[in-house]
Amino acid sequence: MSEISPALENYLESILIIQNKKGLVRVTDLAQFTDVKAPSVIEAVSNLKKKGLVIHERYGHIELTGKGLSIARKLYAKHTMLKKFFHEVLGLDEDKAEADACTVEHYLSKEALHTMLMFTEFVHTPESNASDLLQKFFEFARIRKSIVPEAGSSAQEPDVPAEITLKDLEVGQAAVIRRINDTTSLKRRLLDMGFVKGEQVRIERRSPFGFPVDVLVKGAHISLRKDEAEKIIVEL
């Protein structure tokens, strides 16, 4: 079976969630759940069908195959674990933990994921006494946030390297995609267009006013607005 893109992984996981809630999954259900237009959903389902991961007859419901169900369950388990790590270990609020889990779940190495899982288990082991350490960390974080200078303050802040986005590239300049810094339907749309981690992109043309910009990715020319280009984090 060929490699599954992050976008298709999102669809597999979404099908499983809808299936668990409603029993049957139709294109309209998947489009509503993912906030993606029906034609894009149909194309994604067609790709999943070619890979032997779903069964879908025209105008019928979508059903996961044995392979598709196995992959979807693994993806959902990974998502659940990451959300638990962000929420219960790092103390992020539940909505933020959910969004961040969705953002990073497709890009973590198995080693990083396994280590985070072990640490989460460790924290919840009574003999580890990790809960005391976590409480101290949360208190430290609370105090640290309270003394962060307001915008425009002259206080010295840590020197953090600025990330490069697709918006920053010049015409003719190429880079490799690191991630999409977004958790809305825009991320899914960009993934569907081919802006996936590890893919090379090059700026072909700019409009006289700078945007939109013509980007070459996977042999296709894609026109992006400024707000879209600045969501794509790249490295030179």
Side-chain angles (χ1 to χ4, degrees), residues 96-129:
K96 180 63 175 173
E98 174 74 27
D100 286 348
C102 184
T103 300
V104 306
E105 64 180 309
H106 306 290
Y107 305 107
L108 280 178
S109 67
K110 290 183 179 180
E111 182 180 3
L113 186 67
H114 183 61
T115 303
M116 292 167 73
L117 176 60
M118 286 193 298
F119 186 73
T120 304
E121 291 177 352
F122 170 75
V123 165
H124 290 87
T125 302
E127 54 268 23
S128 71
N129 294 321

PDB file of all heavy atoms in Angstrom, residues 96-129:
ATOM      1  N   LYS A  96      -7.523  23.898  23.098  1.00  0.00           N
ATOM      2  CA  LYS A  96      -6.187  24.099  22.543  1.00  0.00           C
ATOM      3  C   LYS A  96      -5.465  22.763  22.397  1.00  0.00           C
ATOM      4  O   LYS A  96      -4.763  22.526  21.404  1.00  0.00           O
ATOM      5  CB  LYS A  96      -5.384  25.026  23.472  1.00  0.00           C
ATOM      6  CG  LYS A  96      -3.964  25.319  23.006  1.00  0.00           C
ATOM      7  CD  LYS A  96      -3.950  26.067  21.687  1.00  0.00           C
ATOM      8  CE  LYS A  96      -2.535  26.452  21.300  1.00  0.00           C
ATOM      9  NZ  LYS A  96      -2.474  27.045  19.945  1.00  0.00           N
ATOM     10  N   ALA A  97      -5.630  21.881  23.378  1.00  0.00           N
ATOM     11  CA  ALA A  97      -5.003  20.549  23.316  1.00  0.00           C
ATOM     12  C   ALA A  97      -5.536  19.775  22.118  1.00  0.00           C
ATOM     13  O   ALA A  97      -4.779  19.090  21.416  1.00  0.00           O
ATOM     14  CB  ALA A  97      -5.275  19.786  24.606  1.00  0.00           C
ATOM     15  N   GLU A  98      -6.839  19.893  21.870  1.00  0.00           N
ATOM     16  CA  GLU A  98      -7.465  19.215  20.719  1.00  0.00           C
ATOM     17  C   GLU A  98      -6.893  19.732  19.410  1.00  0.00           C
ATOM     18  O   GLU A  98      -6.517  18.961  18.516  1.00  0.00           O
ATOM     19  CB  GLU A  98      -8.977  19.454  20.763  1.00  0.00           C
ATOM     20  CG  GLU A  98      -9.742  18.943  19.565  1.00  0.00           C
ATOM     21  CD  GLU A  98      -9.897  17.439  19.542  1.00  0.00           C
ATOM     22  OE1 GLU A  98      -9.889  16.816  20.628  1.00  0.00           O
ATOM     23  OE2 GLU A  98     -10.008  16.872  18.438  1.00  0.00           O
ATOM     24  N   ALA A  99      -6.805  21.058  19.291  1.00  0.00           N
ATOM     25  CA  ALA A  99      -6.295  21.672  18.060  1.00  0.00           C
ATOM     26  C   ALA A  99      -4.834  21.321  17.823  1.00  0.00           C
ATOM     27  O   ALA A  99      -4.433  20.991  16.698  1.00  0.00           O
ATOM     28  CB  ALA A  99      -6.469  23.193  18.131  1.00  0.00           C
ATOM     29  N   ASP A 100      -4.022  21.368  18.875  1.00  0.00           N
ATOM     30  CA  ASP A 100      -2.597  21.068  18.725  1.00  0.00           C
ATOM     31  C   ASP A 100      -2.364  19.600  18.403  1.00  0.00           C
ATOM     32  O   ASP A 100      -1.454  19.255  17.629  1.00  0.00           O
ATOM     33  CB  ASP A 100      -1.835  21.461  19.997  1.00  0.00           C
ATOM     34  CG  ASP A 100      -1.667  22.966  20.126  1.00  0.00           C
ATOM     35  OD1 ASP A 100      -1.927  23.666  19.131  1.00  0.00           O
ATOM     36  OD2 ASP A 100      -1.275  23.433  21.203  1.00  0.00           O
ATOM     37  N   ALA A 101      -3.171  18.722  18.989  1.00  0.00           N
ATOM     38  CA  ALA A 101      -3.052  17.291  18.686  1.00  0.00           C
ATOM     39  C   ALA A 101      -3.328  17.055  17.206  1.00  0.00           C
ATOM     40  O   ALA A 101      -2.634  16.280  16.537  1.00  0.00           O
ATOM     41  CB  ALA A 101      -4.013  16.483  19.552  1.00  0.00           C
ATOM     42  N   CYS A 102      -4.341  17.742  16.682  1.00  0.00           N
ATOM     43  CA  CYS A 102      -4.688  17.617  15.265  1.00  0.00           C
ATOM     44  C   CYS A 102      -3.566  18.131  14.371  1.00  0.00           C
ATOM     45  O   CYS A 102      -3.312  17.596  13.302  1.00  0.00           O
ATOM     46  CB  CYS A 102      -5.981  18.389  14.992  1.00  0.00           C
ATOM     47  SG  CYS A 102      -6.596  18.230  13.310  1.00  0.00           S
ATOM     48  N   THR A 103      -2.870  19.171  14.844  1.00  0.00           N
ATOM     49  CA  THR A 103      -1.808  19.779  14.050  1.00  0.00           C
ATOM     50  C   THR A 103      -0.579  18.881  13.940  1.00  0.00           C
ATOM     51  O   THR A 103      -0.005  18.712  12.863  1.00  0.00           O
ATOM     52  CB  THR A 103      -1.390  21.131  14.655  1.00  0.00           C
ATOM     53  OG1 THR A 103      -2.521  22.004  14.674  1.00  0.00           O
ATOM     54  CG2 THR A 103      -0.273  21.777  13.836  1.00  0.00           C
ATOM     55  N   VAL A 104      -0.150  18.283  15.045  1.00  0.00           N
ATOM     56  CA  VAL A 104       1.143  17.578  15.062  1.00  0.00           C
ATOM     57  C   VAL A 104       1.050  16.071  14.882  1.00  0.00           C
ATOM     58  O   VAL A 104       2.061  15.416  14.667  1.00  0.00           O
ATOM     59  CB  VAL A 104       1.907  17.868  16.381  1.00  0.00           C
ATOM     60  CG1 VAL A 104       2.043  19.345  16.612  1.00  0.00           C
ATOM     61  CG2 VAL A 104       1.231  17.202  17.579  1.00  0.00           C
ATOM     62  N   GLU A 105      -0.156  15.505  14.939  1.00  0.00           N
ATOM     63  CA  GLU A 105      -0.264  14.044  14.982  1.00  0.00           C
ATOM     64  C   GLU A 105       0.297  13.348  13.747  1.00  0.00           C
ATOM     65  O   GLU A 105       0.730  12.199  13.821  1.00  0.00           O
ATOM     66  CB  GLU A 105      -1.717  13.613  15.191  1.00  0.00           C
ATOM     67  CG  GLU A 105      -2.653  13.981  14.061  1.00  0.00           C
ATOM     68  CD  GLU A 105      -4.074  13.509  14.351  1.00  0.00           C
ATOM     69  OE1 GLU A 105      -4.237  12.329  14.683  1.00  0.00           O
ATOM     70  OE2 GLU A 105      -5.009  14.324  14.248  1.00  0.00           O
ATOM     71  N   HIS A 106       0.315  14.029  12.610  1.00  0.00           N
ATOM     72  CA  HIS A 106       0.776  13.392  11.377  1.00  0.00           C
ATOM     73  C   HIS A 106       2.283  13.529  11.146  1.00  0.00           C
ATOM     74  O   HIS A 106       2.814  12.954  10.197  1.00  0.00           O
ATOM     75  CB  HIS A 106       0.037  14.006  10.183  1.00  0.00           C
ATOM     76  CG  HIS A 106      -1.454  13.959  10.323  1.00  0.00           C
ATOM     77  ND1 HIS A 106      -2.175  12.795  10.254  1.00  0.00           N
ATOM     78  CD2 HIS A 106      -2.356  14.945  10.568  1.00  0.00           C
ATOM     79  CE1 HIS A 106      -3.455  13.057  10.423  1.00  0.00           C
ATOM     80  NE2 HIS A 106      -3.595  14.361  10.621  1.00  0.00           N
ATOM     81  N   TYR A 107       2.964  14.275  12.004  1.00  0.00           N
ATOM     82  CA  TYR A 107       4.351  14.607  11.721  1.00  0.00           C
ATOM     83  C   TYR A 107       5.347  14.107  12.764  1.00  0.00           C
ATOM     84  O   TYR A 107       6.548  14.166  12.543  1.00  0.00           O
ATOM     85  CB  TYR A 107       4.495  16.134  11.568  1.00  0.00           C
ATOM     86  CG  TYR A 107       3.567  16.698  10.529  1.00  0.00           C
ATOM     87  CD1 TYR A 107       2.447  17.434  10.897  1.00  0.00           C
ATOM     88  CD2 TYR A 107       3.789  16.467   9.178  1.00  0.00           C
ATOM     89  CE1 TYR A 107       1.573  17.928   9.945  1.00  0.00           C
ATOM     90  CE2 TYR A 107       2.926  16.961   8.223  1.00  0.00           C
ATOM     91  CZ  TYR A 107       1.823  17.695   8.603  1.00  0.00           C
ATOM     92  OH  TYR A 107       0.963  18.171   7.654  1.00  0.00           O
ATOM     93  N   LEU A 108       4.876  13.637  13.904  1.00  0.00           N
ATOM     94  CA  LEU A 108       5.791  13.156  14.946  1.00  0.00           C
ATOM     95  C   LEU A 108       6.397  11.818  14.562  1.00  0.00           C
ATOM     96  O   LEU A 108       5.739  10.960  13.974  1.00  0.00           O
ATOM     97  CB  LEU A 108       5.043  13.007  16.277  1.00  0.00           C
ATOM     98  CG  LEU A 108       4.793  14.266  17.098  1.00  0.00           C
ATOM     99  CD1 LEU A 108       3.998  13.912  18.335  1.00  0.00           C
ATOM    100  CD2 LEU A 108       6.101  14.926  17.494  1.00  0.00           C
ATOM    101  N   SER A 109       7.665  11.635  14.918  1.00  0.00           N
ATOM    102  CA  SER A 109       8.296  10.332  14.703  1.00  0.00           C
ATOM    103  C   SER A 109       7.735   9.329  15.697  1.00  0.00           C
ATOM    104  O   SER A 109       7.175   9.706  16.742  1.00  0.00           O
ATOM    105  CB  SER A 109       9.809  10.448  14.894  1.00  0.00           C
ATOM    106  OG  SER A 109      10.117  10.729  16.263  1.00  0.00           O
ATOM    107  N   LYS A 110       7.876   8.050  15.390  1.00  0.00           N
ATOM    108  CA  LYS A 110       7.406   7.011  16.299  1.00  0.00           C
ATOM    109  C   LYS A 110       8.128   7.104  17.637  1.00  0.00           C
ATOM    110  O   LYS A 110       7.536   6.872  18.696  1.00  0.00           O
ATOM    111  CB  LYS A 110       7.628   5.627  15.680  1.00  0.00           C
ATOM    112  CG  LYS A 110       6.723   5.325  14.501  1.00  0.00           C
ATOM    113  CD  LYS A 110       6.960   3.910  13.988  1.00  0.00           C
ATOM    114  CE  LYS A 110       6.031   3.604  12.818  1.00  0.00           C
ATOM    115  NZ  LYS A 110       6.257   2.221  12.294  1.00  0.00           N
ATOM    116  N   GLU A 111       9.410   7.458  17.593  1.00  0.00           N
ATOM    117  CA  GLU A 111      10.205   7.558  18.824  1.00  0.00           C
ATOM    118  C   GLU A 111       9.672   8.675  19.726  1.00  0.00           C
ATOM    119  O   GLU A 111       9.507   8.490  20.937  1.00  0.00           O
ATOM    120  CB  GLU A 111      11.671   7.819  18.485  1.00  0.00           C
ATOM    121  CG  GLU A 111      12.572   7.890  19.708  1.00  0.00           C
ATOM    122  CD  GLU A 111      14.015   8.160  19.348  1.00  0.00           C
ATOM    123  OE1 GLU A 111      14.315   8.345  18.156  1.00  0.00           O
ATOM    124  OE2 GLU A 111      14.857   8.182  20.268  1.00  0.00           O
ATOM    125  N   ALA A 112       9.389   9.835  19.123  1.00  0.00           N
ATOM    126  CA  ALA A 112       8.868  10.961  19.906  1.00  0.00           C
ATOM    127  C   ALA A 112       7.501  10.619  20.489  1.00  0.00           C
ATOM    128  O   ALA A 112       7.224  10.898  21.663  1.00  0.00           O
ATOM    129  CB  ALA A 112       8.774  12.206  19.033  1.00  0.00           C
ATOM    130  N   LEU A 113       6.653  10.010  19.671  1.00  0.00           N
ATOM    131  CA  LEU A 113       5.316   9.649  20.131  1.00  0.00           C
ATOM    132  C   LEU A 113       5.381   8.640  21.273  1.00  0.00           C
ATOM    133  O   LEU A 113       4.681   8.778  22.281  1.00  0.00           O
ATOM    134  CB  LEU A 113       4.524   9.066  18.964  1.00  0.00           C
ATOM    135  CG  LEU A 113       3.053   8.772  19.236  1.00  0.00           C
ATOM    136  CD1 LEU A 113       2.282  10.060  19.464  1.00  0.00           C
ATOM    137  CD2 LEU A 113       2.445   7.994  18.072  1.00  0.00           C
ATOM    138  N   HIS A 114       6.246   7.637  21.128  1.00  0.00           N
ATOM    139  CA  HIS A 114       6.371   6.599  22.158  1.00  0.00           C
ATOM    140  C   HIS A 114       6.897   7.204  23.463  1.00  0.00           C
ATOM    141  O   HIS A 114       6.441   6.852  24.555  1.00  0.00           O
ATOM    142  CB  HIS A 114       7.302   5.496  21.675  1.00  0.00           C
ATOM    143  CG  HIS A 114       7.436   4.359  22.630  1.00  0.00           C
ATOM    144  ND1 HIS A 114       6.369   3.570  23.022  1.00  0.00           N
ATOM    145  CD2 HIS A 114       8.522   3.873  23.305  1.00  0.00           C
ATOM    146  CE1 HIS A 114       6.783   2.657  23.883  1.00  0.00           C
ATOM    147  NE2 HIS A 114       8.080   2.823  24.068  1.00  0.00           N
ATOM    148  N   THR A 115       7.847   8.135  23.351  1.00  0.00           N
ATOM    149  CA  THR A 115       8.409   8.772  24.541  1.00  0.00           C
ATOM    150  C   THR A 115       7.356   9.615  25.254  1.00  0.00           C
ATOM    151  O   THR A 115       7.262   9.603  26.487  1.00  0.00           O
ATOM    152  CB  THR A 115       9.618   9.651  24.155  1.00  0.00           C
ATOM    153  OG1 THR A 115      10.596   8.851  23.487  1.00  0.00           O
ATOM    154  CG2 THR A 115      10.251  10.269  25.399  1.00  0.00           C
ATOM    155  N   MET A 116       6.549  10.331  24.492  1.00  0.00           N
ATOM    156  CA  MET A 116       5.476  11.135  25.091  1.00  0.00           C
ATOM    157  C   MET A 116       4.449  10.241  25.773  1.00  0.00           C
ATOM    158  O   MET A 116       3.936  10.569  26.841  1.00  0.00           O
ATOM    159  CB  MET A 116       4.812  11.991  24.015  1.00  0.00           C
ATOM    160  CG  MET A 116       5.713  13.083  23.458  1.00  0.00           C
ATOM    161  SD  MET A 116       5.063  13.847  21.954  1.00  0.00           S
ATOM    162  CE  MET A 116       3.728  14.820  22.620  1.00  0.00           C
ATOM    163  N   LEU A 117       4.160   9.098  25.165  1.00  0.00           N
ATOM    164  CA  LEU A 117       3.226   8.149  25.758  1.00  0.00           C
ATOM    165  C   LEU A 117       3.770   7.616  27.085  1.00  0.00           C
ATOM    166  O   LEU A 117       3.043   7.562  28.090  1.00  0.00           O
ATOM    167  CB  LEU A 117       2.975   6.987  24.793  1.00  0.00           C
ATOM    168  CG  LEU A 117       2.089   5.850  25.310  1.00  0.00           C
ATOM    169  CD1 LEU A 117       0.708   6.367  25.682  1.00  0.00           C
ATOM    170  CD2 LEU A 117       1.986   4.738  24.280  1.00  0.00           C
ATOM    171  N   MET A 118       5.046   7.254  27.092  1.00  0.00           N
ATOM    172  CA  MET A 118       5.661   6.743  28.321  1.00  0.00           C
ATOM    173  C   MET A 118       5.666   7.805  29.409  1.00  0.00           C
ATOM    174  O   MET A 118       5.415   7.514  30.582  1.00  0.00           O
ATOM    175  CB  MET A 118       7.091   6.274  28.047  1.00  0.00           C
ATOM    176  CG  MET A 118       7.181   4.963  27.278  1.00  0.00           C
ATOM    177  SD  MET A 118       8.852   4.266  27.315  1.00  0.00           S
ATOM    178  CE  MET A 118       9.778   5.566  26.494  1.00  0.00           C
ATOM    179  N   PHE A 119       5.943   9.061  29.032  1.00  0.00           N
ATOM    180  CA  PHE A 119       5.979  10.126  30.024  1.00  0.00           C
ATOM    181  C   PHE A 119       4.588  10.375  30.605  1.00  0.00           C
ATOM    182  O   PHE A 119       4.441  10.613  31.805  1.00  0.00           O
ATOM    183  CB  PHE A 119       6.523  11.411  29.403  1.00  0.00           C
ATOM    184  CG  PHE A 119       6.718  12.520  30.401  1.00  0.00           C
ATOM    185  CD1 PHE A 119       7.755  12.470  31.324  1.00  0.00           C
ATOM    186  CD2 PHE A 119       5.856  13.607  30.432  1.00  0.00           C
ATOM    187  CE1 PHE A 119       7.928  13.482  32.263  1.00  0.00           C
ATOM    188  CE2 PHE A 119       6.019  14.619  31.365  1.00  0.00           C
ATOM    189  CZ  PHE A 119       7.065  14.545  32.276  1.00  0.00           C
ATOM    190  N   THR A 120       3.562  10.318  29.739  1.00  0.00           N
ATOM    191  CA  THR A 120       2.189  10.483  30.215  1.00  0.00           C
ATOM    192  C   THR A 120       1.831   9.391  31.210  1.00  0.00           C
ATOM    193  O   THR A 120       1.217   9.651  32.253  1.00  0.00           O
ATOM    194  CB  THR A 120       1.201  10.456  29.033  1.00  0.00           C
ATOM    195  OG1 THR A 120       1.565  11.466  28.087  1.00  0.00           O
ATOM    196  CG2 THR A 120      -0.224  10.718  29.504  1.00  0.00           C
ATOM    197  N   GLU A 121       2.221   8.157  30.887  1.00  0.00           N
ATOM    198  CA  GLU A 121       1.974   7.036  31.803  1.00  0.00           C
ATOM    199  C   GLU A 121       2.737   7.234  33.113  1.00  0.00           C
ATOM    200  O   GLU A 121       2.224   6.966  34.208  1.00  0.00           O
ATOM    201  CB  GLU A 121       2.382   5.720  31.141  1.00  0.00           C
ATOM    202  CG  GLU A 121       1.482   5.319  29.977  1.00  0.00           C
ATOM    203  CD  GLU A 121       1.960   4.048  29.303  1.00  0.00           C
ATOM    204  OE1 GLU A 121       3.069   3.572  29.642  1.00  0.00           O
ATOM    205  OE2 GLU A 121       1.239   3.526  28.441  1.00  0.00           O
ATOM    206  N   PHE A 122       3.976   7.711  32.992  1.00  0.00           N
ATOM    207  CA  PHE A 122       4.812   7.945  34.162  1.00  0.00           C
ATOM    208  C   PHE A 122       4.176   8.971  35.101  1.00  0.00           C
ATOM    209  O   PHE A 122       4.137   8.788  36.321  1.00  0.00           O
ATOM    210  CB  PHE A 122       6.196   8.419  33.716  1.00  0.00           C
ATOM    211  CG  PHE A 122       7.073   8.925  34.829  1.00  0.00           C
ATOM    212  CD1 PHE A 122       7.684   8.049  35.711  1.00  0.00           C
ATOM    213  CD2 PHE A 122       7.288  10.293  35.000  1.00  0.00           C
ATOM    214  CE1 PHE A 122       8.493   8.515  36.734  1.00  0.00           C
ATOM    215  CE2 PHE A 122       8.085  10.769  36.029  1.00  0.00           C
ATOM    216  CZ  PHE A 122       8.692   9.872  36.897  1.00  0.00           C
ATOM    217  N   VAL A 123       3.654  10.047  34.514  1.00  0.00           N
ATOM    218  CA  VAL A 123       3.036  11.105  35.306  1.00  0.00           C
ATOM    219  C   VAL A 123       1.853  10.578  36.107  1.00  0.00           C
ATOM    220  O   VAL A 123       1.611  11.016  37.239  1.00  0.00           O
ATOM    221  CB  VAL A 123       2.594  12.268  34.383  1.00  0.00           C
ATOM    222  CG1 VAL A 123       1.638  13.205  35.101  1.00  0.00           C
ATOM    223  CG2 VAL A 123       3.809  13.033  33.878  1.00  0.00           C
ATOM    224  N   HIS A 124       1.128   9.624  35.545  1.00  0.00           N
ATOM    225  CA  HIS A 124      -0.058   9.096  36.204  1.00  0.00           C
ATOM    226  C   HIS A 124       0.234   7.873  37.071  1.00  0.00           C
ATOM    227  O   HIS A 124      -0.693   7.239  37.581  1.00  0.00           O
ATOM    228  CB  HIS A 124      -1.123   8.753  35.160  1.00  0.00           C
ATOM    229  CG  HIS A 124      -1.731   9.959  34.509  1.00  0.00           C
ATOM    230  ND1 HIS A 124      -1.175  10.560  33.400  1.00  0.00           N
ATOM    231  CD2 HIS A 124      -2.816  10.708  34.838  1.00  0.00           C
ATOM    232  CE1 HIS A 124      -1.909  11.605  33.050  1.00  0.00           C
ATOM    233  NE2 HIS A 124      -2.906  11.721  33.908  1.00  0.00           N
ATOM    234  N   THR A 125       1.510   7.553  37.239  1.00  0.00           N
ATOM    235  CA  THR A 125       1.887   6.456  38.129  1.00  0.00           C
ATOM    236  C   THR A 125       2.106   7.016  39.533  1.00  0.00           C
ATOM    237  O   THR A 125       2.966   7.883  39.727  1.00  0.00           O
ATOM    238  CB  THR A 125       3.182   5.774  37.645  1.00  0.00           C
ATOM    239  OG1 THR A 125       2.988   5.303  36.309  1.00  0.00           O
ATOM    240  CG2 THR A 125       3.542   4.602  38.542  1.00  0.00           C
ATOM    241  N   PRO A 126       1.348   6.567  40.532  1.00  0.00           N
ATOM    242  CA  PRO A 126       1.432   7.142  41.893  1.00  0.00           C
ATOM    243  C   PRO A 126       2.845   7.172  42.463  1.00  0.00           C
ATOM    244  O   PRO A 126       3.262   8.166  43.068  1.00  0.00           O
ATOM    245  CB  PRO A 126       0.527   6.218  42.720  1.00  0.00           C
ATOM    246  CG  PRO A 126      -0.439   5.673  41.731  1.00  0.00           C
ATOM    247  CD  PRO A 126       0.331   5.508  40.456  1.00  0.00           C
ATOM    248  N   GLU A 127       3.607   6.093  42.256  1.00  0.00           N
ATOM    249  CA  GLU A 127       4.936   6.029  42.865  1.00  0.00           C
ATOM    250  C   GLU A 127       5.942   6.988  42.229  1.00  0.00           C
ATOM    251  O   GLU A 127       7.041   7.193  42.754  1.00  0.00           O
ATOM    252  CB  GLU A 127       5.495   4.604  42.807  1.00  0.00           C
ATOM    253  CG  GLU A 127       5.532   3.980  41.428  1.00  0.00           C
ATOM    254  CD  GLU A 127       4.269   3.181  41.117  1.00  0.00           C
ATOM    255  OE1 GLU A 127       3.232   3.463  41.737  1.00  0.00           O
ATOM    256  OE2 GLU A 127       4.348   2.281  40.262  1.00  0.00           O
ATOM    257  N   SER A 128       5.572   7.582  41.103  1.00  0.00           N
ATOM    258  CA  SER A 128       6.505   8.506  40.446  1.00  0.00           C
ATOM    259  C   SER A 128       6.567   9.858  41.149  1.00  0.00           C
ATOM    260  O   SER A 128       7.539  10.600  40.993  1.00  0.00           O
ATOM    261  CB  SER A 128       6.094   8.722  38.991  1.00  0.00           C
ATOM    262  OG  SER A 128       4.904   9.500  38.924  1.00  0.00           O
ATOM    263  N   ASN A 129       5.505  10.208  41.914  1.00  0.00           N
ATOM    264  CA  ASN A 129       5.408  11.519  42.576  1.00  0.00           C
ATOM    265  C   ASN A 129       5.499  12.672  41.571  1.00  0.00           C
ATOM    266  O   ASN A 129       5.899  13.786  41.921  1.00  0.00           O
ATOM    267  CB  ASN A 129       6.509  11.675  43.637  1.00  0.00           C
ATOM    268  CG  ASN A 129       6.319  10.711  44.791  1.00  0.00           C
ATOM    269  OD1 ASN A 129       5.193  10.468  45.227  1.00  0.00           O
ATOM    270  ND2 ASN A 129       7.412  10.132  45.271  1.00  0.00           N
TER     271      ASN A 129
END
